[in-house]
Amino acid sequence: STSRNHAVWLHEYLQDFPDKKDELRYVLCSIFPETRDSEFTWQDYQARVNNELVAILGNFVNRVVVLIHKYFDGEIPFDSFKRSNEEEDFALAKISNIFFEVQKRIEEFQFRDALSKTMELARIGNKYLADKEPWKMDKETQKKEIGRILLFSINIVVIISIMSYPFLPNTAIKIRKILNVNSKLHWPKMFSFPMVQLLEGHQINPPELLFQKIDDETIEAQTEKLGRK
Protein backbone atom coordinates (compact mmCIF):
# COMPACT_ATOMS: atom_id res chain seq x y z
CA SER A 1 0.00 0.00 0.00
CA THR A 2 1.80 3.11 -1.20
CA SER A 3 -0.80 5.30 0.51
CA ARG A 4 0.55 4.00 3.83
CA ASN A 5 4.14 4.17 2.62
CA HIS A 6 4.17 0.35 2.78
CA ALA A 7 6.35 -0.36 -0.22
CA VAL A 8 9.77 -1.41 -1.44
CA TRP A 9 11.14 1.81 -2.90
CA LEU A 10 13.67 1.55 -5.70
CA HIS A 11 16.12 4.10 -4.31
CA GLU A 12 16.19 2.24 -0.99
CA TYR A 13 16.75 -1.09 -2.73
CA LEU A 14 19.70 0.34 -4.65
CA GLN A 15 21.17 1.66 -1.44
CA ASP A 16 20.88 -1.72 0.29
CA PHE A 17 21.76 -3.83 -2.77
CA PRO A 18 24.00 -1.67 -4.99
CA ASP A 19 25.41 -4.68 -6.89
CA LYS A 20 22.13 -6.50 -7.37
CA LYS A 21 20.33 -4.53 -10.04
CA ASP A 22 19.93 -7.52 -12.35
CA GLU A 23 18.58 -9.65 -9.53
CA LEU A 24 15.71 -7.17 -9.08
CA ARG A 25 15.16 -6.98 -12.85
CA TYR A 26 14.94 -10.76 -12.97
CA VAL A 27 12.47 -11.09 -10.11
CA LEU A 28 10.21 -8.28 -11.33
CA CYS A 29 10.21 -9.62 -14.87
CA SER A 30 9.43 -13.11 -13.54
CA ILE A 31 6.26 -11.83 -11.86
CA PHE A 32 5.42 -9.26 -14.52
CA PRO A 33 1.64 -8.56 -14.29
CA GLU A 34 0.83 -9.15 -17.95
CA THR A 35 -2.65 -10.59 -17.42
CA ARG A 36 -3.26 -10.30 -13.67
CA ASP A 37 -1.98 -8.54 -10.57
CA SER A 38 1.25 -9.74 -9.08
CA GLU A 39 2.84 -9.46 -5.65
CA PHE A 40 6.45 -8.86 -4.67
CA THR A 41 7.65 -10.53 -1.47
CA TRP A 42 11.16 -10.68 -0.07
CA GLN A 43 10.83 -14.43 0.40
CA ASP A 44 10.05 -14.91 -3.29
CA TYR A 45 12.93 -12.60 -4.18
CA GLN A 46 15.30 -14.75 -2.12
CA ALA A 47 13.98 -18.01 -3.61
CA ARG A 48 14.29 -16.83 -7.21
CA VAL A 49 17.78 -15.43 -6.76
CA ASN A 50 19.11 -18.48 -4.90
CA ASN A 51 17.27 -21.27 -6.73
CA GLU A 52 17.32 -19.87 -10.25
CA LEU A 53 20.00 -17.23 -10.80
CA VAL A 54 22.60 -18.78 -8.49
CA ALA A 55 21.81 -22.50 -8.76
CA ILE A 56 20.96 -22.66 -12.48
CA LEU A 57 22.40 -19.79 -14.52
CA GLY A 58 25.37 -18.83 -12.38
CA ASN A 59 26.26 -22.44 -11.62
CA PHE A 60 26.35 -23.46 -15.28
CA VAL A 61 28.49 -20.56 -16.46
CA ASN A 62 30.92 -20.89 -13.56
CA ARG A 63 31.23 -24.66 -13.94
CA VAL A 64 32.08 -24.46 -17.65
CA VAL A 65 34.66 -21.72 -17.18
CA VAL A 66 36.28 -23.54 -14.23
CA LEU A 67 36.54 -26.78 -16.23
CA ILE A 68 38.10 -25.08 -19.26
CA HIS A 69 40.72 -23.52 -17.00
CA LYS A 70 41.30 -26.84 -15.26
CA TYR A 71 41.76 -28.96 -18.39
CA PHE A 72 42.93 -26.45 -21.01
CA ASP A 73 44.42 -23.56 -19.02
CA GLY A 74 41.56 -21.32 -20.13
CA GLU A 75 42.05 -21.86 -23.89
CA ILE A 76 39.33 -22.96 -26.29
CA PRO A 77 40.42 -26.47 -27.32
CA PHE A 78 39.32 -26.88 -30.96
CA ASP A 79 39.06 -24.71 -34.06
CA SER A 80 35.69 -26.06 -35.18
CA PHE A 81 32.55 -27.44 -33.61
CA LYS A 82 31.80 -30.97 -34.79
CA ARG A 83 28.63 -32.64 -33.67
CA SER A 84 28.97 -36.36 -33.33
CA ASN A 85 25.85 -37.63 -31.62
CA GLU A 86 22.09 -37.31 -31.57
CA GLU A 87 22.10 -35.84 -28.07
CA GLU A 88 23.90 -32.68 -29.18
CA ASP A 89 21.82 -32.45 -32.36
CA PHE A 90 18.71 -32.56 -30.19
CA ALA A 91 20.11 -29.90 -27.84
CA LEU A 92 20.94 -27.62 -30.77
CA ALA A 93 17.41 -27.98 -32.12
CA LYS A 94 16.00 -27.00 -28.72
CA ILE A 95 18.34 -24.01 -28.52
CA SER A 96 17.28 -22.88 -31.99
CA ASN A 97 13.60 -23.14 -31.07
CA ILE A 98 14.16 -21.27 -27.81
CA PHE A 99 15.93 -18.42 -29.60
CA PHE A 100 13.07 -17.82 -32.02
CA GLU A 101 10.49 -18.26 -29.25
CA VAL A 102 12.21 -15.63 -27.11
CA GLN A 103 12.42 -13.25 -30.04
CA LYS A 104 8.72 -13.75 -30.75
CA ARG A 105 7.74 -13.22 -27.12
CA ILE A 106 9.75 -10.01 -26.89
CA GLU A 107 8.13 -8.65 -30.05
CA GLU A 108 4.72 -9.43 -28.50
CA PHE A 109 5.70 -7.76 -25.18
CA GLN A 110 5.43 -11.09 -23.33
CA PHE A 111 8.55 -10.45 -21.33
CA ARG A 112 7.82 -12.90 -18.52
CA ASP A 113 7.55 -15.82 -20.94
CA ALA A 114 10.60 -14.61 -22.86
CA LEU A 115 12.67 -14.61 -19.67
CA SER A 116 11.43 -18.07 -18.73
CA LYS A 117 12.43 -19.40 -22.15
CA THR A 118 15.85 -17.80 -21.84
CA MET A 119 16.47 -19.61 -18.55
CA GLU A 120 15.83 -22.90 -20.34
CA LEU A 121 19.22 -22.49 -22.02
CA ALA A 122 21.00 -22.72 -18.67
CA ARG A 123 18.91 -25.76 -17.76
CA ILE A 124 19.88 -27.44 -21.03
CA GLY A 125 23.53 -26.69 -20.34
CA ASN A 126 23.37 -27.95 -16.77
CA LYS A 127 21.69 -31.19 -17.84
CA TYR A 128 24.20 -31.72 -20.64
CA LEU A 129 27.16 -31.35 -18.27
CA ALA A 130 25.53 -33.50 -15.59
CA ASP A 131 24.91 -36.26 -18.15
CA LYS A 132 28.42 -36.11 -19.63
CA GLU A 133 30.35 -35.67 -16.35
CA PRO A 134 33.64 -34.60 -17.99
CA TRP A 135 35.22 -34.20 -14.54
CA LYS A 136 35.08 -37.99 -14.18
CA MET A 137 36.97 -38.60 -17.44
CA ASP A 138 40.67 -39.31 -17.60
CA LYS A 139 42.58 -36.16 -18.49
CA GLU A 140 45.25 -38.03 -20.45
CA THR A 141 43.29 -40.61 -22.45
CA GLN A 142 39.98 -38.75 -22.88
CA LYS A 143 41.15 -35.17 -23.30
CA LYS A 144 39.70 -34.89 -26.82
CA GLU A 145 36.26 -35.93 -25.61
CA ILE A 146 36.51 -33.55 -22.65
CA GLY A 147 37.38 -30.76 -25.08
CA ARG A 148 34.39 -31.54 -27.29
CA ILE A 149 32.03 -31.47 -24.31
CA LEU A 150 33.43 -28.21 -22.98
CA LEU A 151 33.41 -26.58 -26.41
CA PHE A 152 29.73 -27.39 -26.79
CA SER A 153 29.08 -26.05 -23.29
CA ILE A 154 31.04 -22.80 -23.66
CA ASN A 155 29.16 -21.99 -26.84
CA ILE A 156 25.90 -22.35 -24.94
CA VAL A 157 27.36 -19.79 -22.52
CA VAL A 158 28.03 -17.46 -25.48
CA ILE A 159 24.39 -17.77 -26.56
CA ILE A 160 23.19 -17.16 -23.00
CA SER A 161 25.24 -13.95 -22.90
CA ILE A 162 23.38 -12.74 -25.99
CA MET A 163 19.87 -13.86 -25.11
CA SER A 164 19.98 -12.69 -21.49
CA TYR A 165 21.01 -9.14 -22.40
CA PRO A 166 17.47 -7.68 -22.66
CA PHE A 167 16.70 -8.94 -19.14
CA LEU A 168 20.06 -9.06 -17.35
CA PRO A 169 22.27 -6.48 -19.08
CA ASN A 170 24.94 -6.24 -16.39
CA THR A 171 25.18 -10.02 -16.13
CA ALA A 172 25.38 -10.45 -19.90
CA ILE A 173 28.26 -7.98 -20.11
CA LYS A 174 30.01 -9.69 -17.18
CA ILE A 175 29.73 -13.04 -19.00
CA ARG A 176 31.20 -11.48 -22.14
CA LYS A 177 34.13 -10.17 -20.13
CA ILE A 178 34.74 -13.64 -18.70
CA LEU A 179 34.61 -14.99 -22.26
CA ASN A 180 37.04 -12.24 -23.29
CA VAL A 181 34.88 -11.11 -26.20
CA ASN A 182 33.38 -7.81 -27.29
CA SER A 183 30.90 -6.65 -24.67
CA LYS A 184 28.78 -4.76 -27.20
CA LEU A 185 25.75 -6.94 -27.81
CA HIS A 186 23.36 -6.80 -30.74
CA TRP A 187 20.57 -9.34 -30.60
CA PRO A 188 19.98 -10.59 -34.18
CA LYS A 189 23.40 -9.99 -35.73
CA MET A 190 25.42 -12.02 -33.24
CA PHE A 191 23.47 -15.27 -33.42
CA SER A 192 23.97 -17.92 -36.07
CA PHE A 193 23.62 -21.64 -36.29
CA PRO A 194 24.79 -24.27 -35.69
CA MET A 195 26.63 -22.39 -32.95
CA VAL A 196 28.35 -19.12 -32.18
CA GLN A 197 31.93 -20.27 -31.99
CA LEU A 198 34.97 -19.22 -30.04
CA LEU A 199 38.10 -20.06 -32.03
CA GLU A 200 40.83 -22.48 -31.05
CA GLY A 201 43.36 -20.93 -28.70
CA HIS A 202 41.03 -18.11 -27.66
CA GLN A 203 41.87 -17.32 -24.04
CA ILE A 204 38.97 -16.83 -21.67
CA ASN A 205 39.35 -15.02 -18.37
CA PRO A 206 39.27 -16.66 -14.92
CA PRO A 207 35.88 -17.62 -13.47
CA GLU A 208 33.90 -15.05 -11.56
CA LEU A 209 30.69 -15.65 -9.64
CA LEU A 210 27.77 -13.98 -11.42
CA PHE A 211 25.42 -14.03 -8.43
CA GLN A 212 25.62 -14.51 -4.68
CA LYS A 213 23.07 -16.20 -2.46
CA ILE A 214 20.76 -14.05 -0.40
CA ASP A 215 20.91 -15.19 3.23
CA ASP A 216 18.01 -15.36 5.66
CA GLU A 217 19.37 -12.53 7.81
CA THR A 218 19.25 -10.13 4.86
CA ILE A 219 15.64 -11.03 4.11
CA GLU A 220 14.65 -10.75 7.77
CA ALA A 221 16.16 -7.26 7.92
CA GLN A 222 14.24 -6.15 4.84
CA THR A 223 11.00 -7.67 6.14
CA GLU A 224 11.40 -5.88 9.45
CA LYS A 225 12.17 -2.64 7.65
CA LEU A 226 8.99 -3.04 5.62
CA GLY A 227 6.96 -3.69 8.75
CA ARG A 228 8.17 -0.45 10.33
CA LYS A 229 6.84 1.68 7.48
Side-chain angles (χ1 to χ4, degrees), residues 66-95:
V66 166
L67 288 171
I68 290 179
H69 275 274
K70 177 181 178 180
Y71 289 105
F72 299 98
D73 296 321
E75 290 188 2
I76 302 303
F78 299 115
D79 62 354
S80 63
F81 177 73
K82 297 179 180 178
R83 291 171 290 160
S84 60
N85 59 52
E86 293 183 1
E87 181 182 11
E88 286 165 4
D89 284 340
F90 180 71
L92 281 176
K94 288 186 68 175
I95 291 170

Side-chain angles (χ1 to χ4, degrees), residues 137-150:
M137 296 179 179
D138 183 77
K139 186 175 181 178
E140 301 302 325
T141 62
Q142 296 179 286
K143 193 168 184 178
K144 185 176 181 180
E145 176 65 9
I146 294 172
R148 187 183 64 80
I149 293 169
L150 295 181

Side-chain angles (χ1 to χ4, degrees), residues 161-199:
S161 76
I162 298 169
M163 291 182 60
S164 64
Y165 185 62
F167 314 102
L168 306 169
N170 295 325
T171 302
I173 291 173
K174 187 182 292 186
I175 295 174
R176 305 288 287 184
K177 289 180 179 178
I178 294 172
L179 295 173
N180 194 22
V181 294
N182 189 346
S183 61
K184 293 182 179 180
L185 300 169
H186 303 283
W187 174 270
K189 296 179 181 179
M190 296 186 69
F191 195 94
S192 61
F193 286 99
M195 290 288 265
V196 181
Q197 294 184 42
L198 297 180
L199 299 178

Side-chain angles (χ1 to χ4, degrees), residues 38-193:
S38 62
E39 180 182 14
F40 175 91
T41 69
W42 281 112
Q43 289 72 24
D44 182 60
Y45 170 90
Q46 180 186 31
R48 290 183 186 274
V49 171
N50 292 352
N51 301 334
E52 297 172 22
L53 291 180
V54 174
I56 299 175
L57 178 56
N59 177 64
F60 172 62
V61 174
N62 185 70
R63 187 185 256 183
V64 174
V65 174
V66 166
L67 288 171
I68 290 179
H69 275 274
K70 177 181 178 180
Y71 289 105
F72 299 98
D73 296 321
E75 290 188 2
I76 302 303
F78 299 115
D79 62 354
S80 63
F81 177 73
K82 297 179 180 178
R83 291 171 290 160
S84 60
N85 59 52
E86 293 183 1
E87 181 182 11
E88 286 165 4
D89 284 340
F90 180 71
L92 281 176
K94 288 186 68 175
I95 291 170
S96 174
N97 289 335
I98 288 171
F99 170 73
F100 291 113
E101 279 291 320
V102 170
Q103 184 167 284
K104 183 173 182 291
R105 294 289 187 272
I106 290 176
E107 290 172 349
E108 295 174 349
F109 303 101
Q110 297 176 3
F111 304 123
R112 186 177 59 199
D113 289 345
L115 176 60
S116 177
K117 288 285 183 183
T118 300
M119 285 295 291
E120 283 188 34
L121 288 178
R123 290 186 172 90
I124 291 172
N126 272 322
K127 185 179 185 308
Y128 176 78
L129 272 184
D131 290 343
K132 292 297 183 181
E133 297 183 318
W135 49 87
K136 291 186 177 181
M137 296 179 179
D138 183 77
K139 186 175 181 178
E140 301 302 325
T141 62
Q142 296 179 286
K143 193 168 184 178
K144 185 176 181 180
E145 176 65 9
I146 294 172
R148 187 183 64 80
I149 293 169
L150 295 181
L151 179 63
F152 185 89
S153 300
I154 197 66
N155 278 305
I156 295 179
V157 173
V158 176
I159 296 171
I160 288 174
S161 76
I162 298 169
M163 291 182 60
S164 64
Y165 185 62
F167 314 102
L168 306 169
N170 295 325
T171 302
I173 291 173
K174 187 182 292 186
I175 295 174
R176 305 288 287 184
K177 289 180 179 178
I178 294 172
L179 295 173
N180 194 22
V181 294
N182 189 346
S183 61
K184 293 182 179 180
L185 300 169
H186 303 283
W187 174 270
K189 296 179 181 179
M190 296 186 69
F191 195 94
S192 61
F193 286 99

